Amino acid sequence: MDLHGSFHVYDTTLRDGAQQEGLNLSVADKLAIARQLDGLGVGFIEGGWPGSNPKDTEFFRRAREELDLRHARLAAFGATRRAGVRAADDPLVGALRDSGAGVVTLVAKSHDRHVELALRTTLEENLAMVRDTVTHLREEGQTVFLDAEHFFDGYRANRAYALEVLRTAAEAGAEVVALCDTNGGMLPDWVSDVVHDVIGSTGARVGIHAHNDSGCAVANSLAAVNAGATHVQGCINGYGERTGNADLVTVVANLELKLDRSVLPTGLLREATRIAHAVADVTNVPPASRQPYVGTSAFAHKAGLHASAIKVDPDLYQHMDPVGVGNDMRLLVSDMAGRASIELKGRELGYDLSEDRELVTRVTARVKEMEQGGYTFEAADASFELLLAEEVEGTRPSYVEVESWRVITETRTAGEAISEATVKLRAEGVRYVVTGEGNGPVNALDAALREAIGQAFPEVAKFELIDYKVRILDQGHGTDAITRVLIDTTDGESSWVTVGVGANVIEASWGALVDGLTFGLRRHHR
């Protein structure tokens, strides 16, 4: 890898991103995420701070044995030596040296007040700490990047000293000096002016590390690149403490698709949506539906006016072809839908409705009527497909005939509440009566329904409920309010969402559960 000539895409999800509130990554999680990031084609993956905690030390040990990176180089993060101690004798510097990482990113104070108050040392000693640590690690054969912490605030407080920290690092052999907006308070014009000055005054290769506290992390990163920075840091999905770091996918997509700069290996940007969602699965942080480029709503269209235009030319209401980032255009069916929305959604689901105006009018009217009653189809494609199939084929897809169901909840002697559900239905000509228990009425109904249907259709055993959302629609009615339930079901290969509405949460859940199993069986029996 040409460290001098190539543009650097540097991911810090495993270190800075892991500081997000509620995000706790195991070593196995970090290894899994590193493989995904390598699949995106980033140039550098910052694995953590070896020596500062056992988990990061273990990560680098296992990474040497288990990671086979095709595109990225692993970077270890750490601090300059302590005041008054030689770099060669500092145990944390030794951990960086022994980590096995070919690249070390050193964080150094570039704000004079932080040097004096946080490090409790002199400005001269801080420069010596930078010089000594960079020189030592370079002599040990490692590539060194410098993260100039609080640089923009330090630049405003004492420009001469902030620049001197950068010159010292570059002269000692640091390949890159990354300017950190640690507090996240900068704006694009400010960043651009500072980067111009830094490059003109130091001649160093400059990078940008932006936080999102002002909502400008992506814009600040792009401003820095436009001003001459050739190294950009960020986190996938914008993870990070407080409001997060620059979303690396958004930055890279803007550079490649808007500014025509090739910063990833050819074709790998098309993996962005898949990888962003795969990382979200590992972190257990639900992906943001409105995330630029890779969110499920990023190319979703709801209004009938939009759909009419998209029917003529999709580019009329989209800033790019979603295929470029591995995403898809989605037509949302809702009470705002017009005929064009229904036609396009039908085509997406395999139905050509263009020649049947009466059918389209009927489906449109039915959708609007049902949404008036509390249903939502924009988030429940599976329920809409069942509705559409019913209108097209004349009968609603069904694999069972339900006779009845009931559920009771009782409190036993230990104070534990147990729910029991009984489901009676006919499937494949056989009558089934099944009882199921659960830790709530919906769980008990789910268990009984699956067991009953599963006796006729064994593939139901693969189906798993992975998400469950409840919304009270008319809260002024208190406990007898109309309730809407959305259920997300998977068969291990794909997932689908169904909706149910009822006078109570159990009735609404029953409708969504039956639709979820019906849709899954329909998919498997096509």
Side-chain angles (χ1 to χ4, degrees):
M1 180 179 294
D2 179 5
L3 289 171
H4 298 280
S6 61
F7 188 94
H8 291 180
V9 177
Y10 183 108
D11 184 274
T12 181
T13 300
L14 303 183
R15 200 272 308 171
D16 214 0
Q19 296 184 48
Q20 177 167 312
E21 183 177 7
L23 201 159
N24 185 26
L25 301 178
S26 67
V27 174
D29 291 338
K30 295 180 71 164
L31 291 167
I33 292 172
R35 294 185 184 98
Q36 294 290 350
L37 295 172
D38 186 54
L40 183 61
V42 303
F44 300 90
I45 298 171
E46 189 174 86
W49 190 330
S52 69
N53 63 81
K55 185 188 296 182
D56 283 1
T57 302
E58 175 70 5
F59 168 80
F60 280 96
R61 185 192 67 78
R62 288 183 59 181
R64 290 196 296 271
E65 301 171 357
E66 301 176 29
L67 282 186
D68 182 20
L69 301 178
R70 295 172 298 155
H71 304 289
R73 296 184 65 184
L74 198 61
F77 180 87
T80 56
R81 68 162 172 81
R82 291 171 295 164
V85 177
R86 291 192 324 133
D89 299 329
D90 189 307
L92 286 178
V93 175
L96 295 172
R97 188 178 59 235
D98 300 336
S99 67
V103 178
V104 172
T105 299
L106 290 173
V107 61
K109 300 293 186 186
S110 55
H111 190 314
D112 56 358
R113 294 283 287 165
H114 279 266
V115 172
E116 294 168 341
L117 298 179
L119 291 182
R120 297 184 180 181
T121 190
T122 65
L123 301 184
E124 293 75 16
E125 175 63 6
N126 182 56
L127 294 175
M129 292 156 61
V130 171
R131 183 183 304 108
D132 186 20
T133 312
V134 173
T135 300
H136 173 69
L137 292 174
R138 292 286 292 130
E139 290 173 347
E140 293 294 322
Q142 290 172 298
T143 297
V144 179
F145 300 157
L146 186 90
D147 274 3
E149 191 180 31
H150 295 280
F151 180 80
F152 291 93
D153 297 311
Y155 177 94
R156 287 182 162 186
N158 187 337
R159 171 183 176 275
Y161 185 74
L163 292 176
E164 190 58 30
V165 171
L166 303 184
R167 290 193 193 95
T168 299
E171 290 169 2
E175 300 278 0
V176 173
V177 290
L179 314 183
C180 301
D181 182 18
T182 309
N183 291 342
M186 294 295 107
L187 298 178
D189 286 348
W190 303 349
V191 170
S192 181
D193 290 343
V194 172
V195 172
H196 272 300
D197 186 30
V198 167
I199 293 174
S201 301
T202 67
R205 178 171 186 172
V206 170
I208 181 69
H209 177 112
H211 285 253
N212 202 39
D213 299 74
S214 64
C216 292
V218 170
N220 287 342
S221 299
L222 296 173
V225 172
N226 191 54
T230 57
H231 168 112
V232 64
Q233 298 187 10
C235 297
I236 197 162
N237 297 329
Y239 296 142
E241 61 183 333
R242 304 189 310 276
T243 59
N245 288 50
D247 185 330
L248 199 63
V249 168
T250 305
V251 173
V252 166
N254 282 329
L255 289 172
E256 291 221 345
L257 302 174
K258 305 297 186 182
L259 300 177
D260 200 26
R261 300 188 60 151
S262 297
V263 298
L264 294 179
T266 303
L268 291 188
L269 184 59
R270 293 192 174 206
E271 300 295 317
T273 299
R274 177 187 64 79
I275 288 171
H277 290 205
V279 172
D281 286 341
V282 176
T283 63
N284 202 29
V285 176
S289 63
R290 295 190 296 151
Q291 187 176 349
Y293 289 104
V294 299
T296 56
S297 299
F299 301 94
H301 304 276
K302 181 172 180 177
L305 178 63
H306 285 212
S308 296
I310 287 169
K311 186 178 176 182
V312 177
D313 183 354
D315 290 339
L316 291 175
Y317 273 96
Q318 294 186 157
H319 70 103
M320 60 159 289
D321 184 345
V323 172
V325 290
N327 209 340
D328 291 309
M329 182 183 75
R330 293 171 58 233
L331 271 298
L332 306 180
V333 176
S334 75
D335 59 0
M336 294 178 66
R339 297 173 49 82
S341 294
I342 299 298
E343 280 190 43
L344 286 168
K345 190 64 181 180
R347 186 186 307 166
E348 183 182 312
L349 298 174
Y351 295 95
D352 183 2
L353 309 179
S354 59
E355 301 301 321
D356 195 336
R357 294 180 60 83
E358 182 182 345
L359 174 62
V360 172
T361 299
R362 191 167 68 245
V363 172
T364 304
R366 187 174 174 190
V367 165
K368 292 186 177 184
E369 180 183 1
M370 292 183 69
E371 292 220 344
Q372 188 68 26
Y375 283 84
T376 179
F377 292 105
E378 64 181 81
D381 277 358
S383 286
F384 175 74
E385 184 170 338
L386 293 177
L387 180 155
L388 186 60
E390 179 181 356
E391 293 291 342
V392 172
E393 300 165 13
T395 182
R396 190 171 184 83
S398 178
Y399 296 87
V400 300
E401 179 185 344
V402 177
E403 290 184 13
S404 66
W405 58 269
R406 69 177 181 181
V407 61
I408 60 174
T409 301
E410 63 177 345
T411 303
R412 297 180 178 174
T413 53
E416 181 183 11
I418 297 294
S419 293
E420 180 183 285
T422 301
V423 172
K424 300 178 183 179
L425 56 80
R426 302 186 73 87
E428 299 288 85
V430 179
R431 184 173 185 264
Y432 298 99
V433 179
V434 174
T435 299
E437 284 190 341
N439 59 6
V442 176
N443 182 229
L445 271 176
D446 184 37
L449 180 61
R450 287 169 186 275
E451 184 177 343
I453 296 179
Q455 294 183 54
F457 302 101
E459 59 267 39
V460 166
K462 298 179 181 178
F463 299 172
E464 180 184 359
L465 191 155
I466 55 176
D467 200 6
Y468 176 82
K469 298 184 179 74
V470 178
R471 182 173 178 185
I472 306 302
L473 299 180
D474 48 354
Q475 298 179 8
H477 283 238
T479 55
D480 68 340
I482 296 296
T483 304
R484 179 168 67 215
V485 168
L486 290 169
I487 287 179
D488 198 344
T489 307
T490 183
D491 58 4
E493 298 178 3
S494 61
S495 63
W496 55 91
V497 180
T498 50
V499 59
V501 173
N504 57 69
V505 68
I506 301 174
E507 181 184 346
S509 299
W510 173 261
L513 285 169
V514 172
D515 268 11
L517 293 175
T518 301
F519 181 86
L521 286 170
R522 186 169 187 264
R523 175 174 286 184
H524 278 257
H525 283 261
R526 276 180 174 173

